[in-house]
Amino acid sequence: MMEQKILPEAPVQIEMSNVDKRFGNNVTAVQGMSLQIREGEFVSFLGPSGCGKSTALKMISGLLSVSSGAISVNGHPAGQSIDGSDVGYVFQEATLMPWATVFDNVYLPLKLQGLSRKEAGPRVREALDMVGLAKFSASYPRQLSGGMKMRVSIARAMVTKPKLLLMDEPFAALDEMTRFKLNNDVLDLWKSQGLTVIFVTHSVFESVYLSSRVIVMAARPGRVVHDIPLPGGYPRTGEYRTTAEYAETCRLVSNALEGTMDNVDINH
Amino acid sequence: MKTADPALQAMLRERNLRIIMPIASILAALGLWEFLVWYNDVPHYLIPAPSLIAKTLIQDWATLAQSAWFTVKLTLLSLSLAIAGGVLLGMLFALSRTVEISLFPFAVILQVTPVVAIAPLILIYVESTFWALLICAWIVAFFPILSNTAIGLRSADHNLRDMFRLYQATPWQRLRYLLIPSALPYFMAALKIAGGLALIGAVVAEFVAGTAGQNTGLASRILESSFRNEIPRMFAALFLVSVLGIIIFLTTSWLSRAVLGHWHESEIKREL
């Protein structure tokens, strides 16, 4: 009989302890959120609108402050790394500068760190290669399709070689074919770059396909209700979507999500 | 024989059309004008024929050119000062809400008071006529630059602002790489308006000032000719004012296309 190998636990990369976020208009966006995320995990924050999943992501990045509690990322308080280069962030929209070429958009994080174009050149090209857009470095964003713009956005997040990639519903506005393709690209990046990824989504299917762990959140007040480690192994390809295991996991996560909707007033 | 690419041919045809048609229609209008004056025997002190205006333009070129140069100087100087002042104050407005709220009423008062109404006062207080005229033209051109720069600097995409914050950009980097490029389309729109307004301001202020002094602009030539009933010279001076206005318009339009053409919607030609 073969003994199952138990890997040593990876070190904790993100630690949220009892985090609250209240906004000025007396809305509690996040309440009592405690969470540990280990290096190399692919974690999805899944939940309905208003469950605080984006707010949680913004707090981890340091874009929003916490009202109470504490978040530590890579060993320092959220948002207080030396130059912001150890966290990559992908917004819901591609968020590119329309006046700059693809190259200059990806170069931006390095430019802000004071690297010259020449110094940064190889790293920018490498990041563009990673997302398969090396040929488009001289194009302007308006010349690209929605999916390509999103790739540029991912390349920009990856150019500083971050340890942590935060993605805020990045593919919500894309068509399904493009989304499937980009899902696979993100999985490739995650594996090849040894990243930790936090992926905010409202799609059960997307979260199950991608993640090693799904955090299910509920609204009013925004809070964590389930923390589900997913059984499925990697690599995952399009075929994984047709397996019984995938269907079963989706059902499980879907039920967990529905449980959070019980007290939702439809007319709210 | 080589057959040309139809798309290229269409483009050339389009370009010819854009150049030939305006010129042809203007020439036709001038021809009609010439003909009607000649046919109806209209006296030149009522409506001079285009040929007579051209002749006057050549005859009086020395004085007219001097006056035109004066108006050009006045317009360009007031426009430059309006740009410098408008951009600086606009930046200050964008940086500090308090400054904006405190100073905006003054800007609005300057804008809504007709320059013709303030010009006599300025002419009393400011000894040098040139400086008085300059201030009048500046007042007119200043406001669009100020308000558009302030709005433009504030119009940067919120996610992009967040991104600059994430990468801990310095305030200078944020201004240089995010706020200024975001404000450029607004600034260019203001420049097109302010260029024309500076000329109007320069001409109107000179009308109010009258023909005082030797070294005066095109408006003084128009006034002076009107007093002496030299209608062809009036038309010649008027013609020069329009030419200046057209040059300013073409220059600012060209500049806007040169700066924004590669990325901004307003200057991108769409292929249909």
Side-chain angles (χ1 to χ4, degrees):
Chain A
M1 213 171 136
M2 239 172 71
E3 203 180 43
Q4 198 175 351
K5 228 199 269 172
I6 298 170
L7 290 167
E9 294 259 280
V12 173
Q13 189 171 18
I14 296 164
E15 170 108 51
M16 298 178 78
S17 21
N18 214 12
V19 171
D20 287 352
K21 179 68 189 178
R22 286 176 298 274
F23 287 111
N25 49 5
N26 236 345
V27 171
T28 305
V30 171
Q31 195 175 54
M33 190 166 178
S34 293
L35 201 63
Q36 283 189 339
I37 293 174
R38 294 178 184 281
E39 276 178 21
E41 281 194 274
F42 197 123
V43 179
S44 285
F45 288 176
L46 175 71
S49 313
C51 71
K53 53 194 194 293
S54 288
T55 307
L57 199 73
K58 284 210 162 76
M59 287 192 290
I60 292 170
S61 73
L63 280 175
L64 280 177
S65 60
V66 298
S67 300
S68 63
I71 303 176
S72 97
V73 178
N74 295 328
H76 23 232
Q80 289 185 16
S81 65
I82 297 110
D83 53 8
S85 68
D86 51 2
V87 177
Y89 199 104
V90 177
F91 293 90
Q92 197 165 352
E93 292 98 34
T95 310
L96 303 176
M97 302 179 291
W99 55 84
T101 59
V102 165
F103 182 95
D104 283 323
N105 267 292
V106 176
Y107 167 41
L108 181 79
L110 301 176
K111 177 149 110 178
L112 294 177
Q113 285 173 18
L115 261 69
S116 74
R117 265 181 100 79
K118 215 175 147 192
E119 288 170 309
R123 287 171 67 182
V124 173
R125 276 188 289 277
E126 192 190 339
L128 281 172
D129 248 347
M130 245 183 245
V131 297
L133 285 180
K135 275 190 291 185
F136 294 89
S137 69
S139 304
Y140 284 91
R142 65 181 174 85
Q143 299 166 312
L144 306 179
S145 67
M148 285 159 94
K149 280 186 211 166
M150 207 25 108
R151 280 165 204 267
V152 177
S153 189
I154 293 170
R156 180 180 58 195
M158 293 302 299
V159 79
T160 58
K161 296 199 184 297
K163 296 178 212 152
L164 174 64
L165 183 61
L166 305 177
M167 307 184 90
D168 188 359
E169 298 192 42
F171 310 140
L174 300 177
D175 62 86
E176 196 164 66
M177 315 262 246
T178 311
R179 193 162 67 235
F180 282 3
K181 177 123 189 25
L182 285 171
N183 281 166
N184 290 335
D185 290 352
V186 168
L187 282 180
D188 286 346
L189 271 183
W190 170 59
K191 272 287 166 222
S192 66
Q193 306 297 311
L195 286 170
T196 309
V197 178
I198 304 181
F199 192 97
V200 168
T201 179
H202 54 240
S203 159
V204 171
F205 305 108
E206 196 174 35
S207 68
V208 170
Y209 183 70
L210 293 173
S211 330
S212 57
R213 176 181 170 200
V214 174
I215 309 286
V216 180
M217 298 179 73
R220 268 167 262 132
R223 64 198 187 277
V224 174
V225 286
H226 294 285
D227 187 341
I228 311 171
L230 299 192
Y234 294 91
R236 292 177 190 167
T237 57
E239 275 168 39
Y240 181 64
R241 290 184 205 277
T242 63
T243 61
E245 184 187 85
Y246 176 73
E248 178 56 27
T249 316
C250 282
R251 197 184 58 79
L252 188 90
V253 172
S254 202
N255 284 346
L257 187 63
E258 257 166 47
T260 71
M261 308 286 277
D262 286 348
N263 56 354
V264 173
D265 176 3
I266 300 293
N267 299 317
H268 186 90
Chain B
M1 213 172 84
K2 213 170 77 178
T3 47
D5 175 18
L8 189 77
Q9 262 182 339
M11 207 183 74
L12 283 175
R13 212 170 30 238
E14 158 84 14
R15 210 181 55 185
N16 284 342
L17 203 70
R18 286 173 59 104
I19 295 170
I20 289 169
M21 287 320 284
I23 292 176
S25 64
I26 287 174
L27 284 180
L30 285 176
L32 186 68
W33 180 354
E34 185 82 40
F35 170 76
L36 287 176
V37 167
W38 167 80
Y39 186 78
N40 295 316
D41 226 353
V42 182
H44 65 81
Y45 52 82
L46 283 183
I47 303 174
S51 57
L52 182 62
I53 296 170
K55 212 155 75 189
T56 316
L57 199 61
I58 294 162
Q59 259 169 16
D60 294 353
W61 181 247
T63 35
L64 284 174
Q66 206 182 14
S67 300
W69 176 236
F70 180 88
T71 302
V72 167
K73 261 194 315 194
L74 199 60
T75 306
L76 291 186
L77 204 55
S78 66
L79 184 61
S80 319
L81 290 176
I83 292 171
V87 167
L88 277 178
L89 202 60
M91 280 185 179
L92 211 60
F93 277 20
L95 282 176
S96 158
R97 200 87 194 119
T98 323
V99 173
E100 181 180 14
I101 291 167
S102 331
L103 293 187
F104 205 69
F106 292 98
V108 173
I109 290 168
L110 275 183
Q111 163 69 6
V112 297
T113 316
V115 71
V116 203
I118 340 175
L121 270 181
I122 295 174
L123 281 157
I124 292 172
Y125 298 137
V126 182
E127 212 171 311
S128 147
T129 315
F130 183 79
W131 278 99
L133 298 179
L134 191 64
I135 292 170
C136 293
W138 175 82
I139 287 173
V140 185
F142 170 73
F143 188 80
I145 304 255
L146 167 70
S147 79
N148 270 28
T149 304
I151 293 171
L153 286 173
R154 252 194 237 112
S155 70
D157 181 86
H158 279 269
N159 284 336
L160 275 175
R161 282 169 191 268
D162 275 352
M163 226 195 45
F164 272 69
R165 217 147 54 78
L166 217 53
Y167 290 114
Q168 298 172 352
T170 62
W172 168 247
Q173 285 176 324
R174 207 168 60 110
L175 182 70
R176 169 79 186 77
Y177 301 129
L178 177 63
L179 302 186
I180 290 179
S182 305
L184 262 185
Y186 294 82
F187 173 78
M188 282 300 160
L191 190 64
K192 280 192 203 171
I193 298 167
L197 284 180
L199 178 65
I200 292 174
V203 170
V204 167
E206 216 189 337
F207 265 107
V208 178
T211 50
Q214 282 284 305
N215 196 7
T216 44
L218 285 171
S220 305
R221 292 290 82 74
I222 293 173
L223 269 181
E224 180 190 87
S225 313
S226 135
F227 293 149
R228 298 184 191 159
N229 253 334
E230 291 173 332
I231 310 301
R233 214 155 91 97
M234 240 172 120
F235 270 94
L238 203 56
F239 170 75
L240 286 179
V241 173
S242 325
V243 168
L244 284 185
I246 291 167
I247 290 173
I248 289 172
F249 172 78
L250 289 178
T251 312
T252 49
S253 300
W254 171 82
L255 198 66
S256 172
R257 204 160 36 243
V259 173
L260 305 177
H262 61 290
W263 69 274
H264 198 255
E265 291 293 345
S266 65
E267 296 289 1
I268 290 168
K269 272 210 192 72
R270 289 184 57 204
E271 285 167 40
L272 293 174

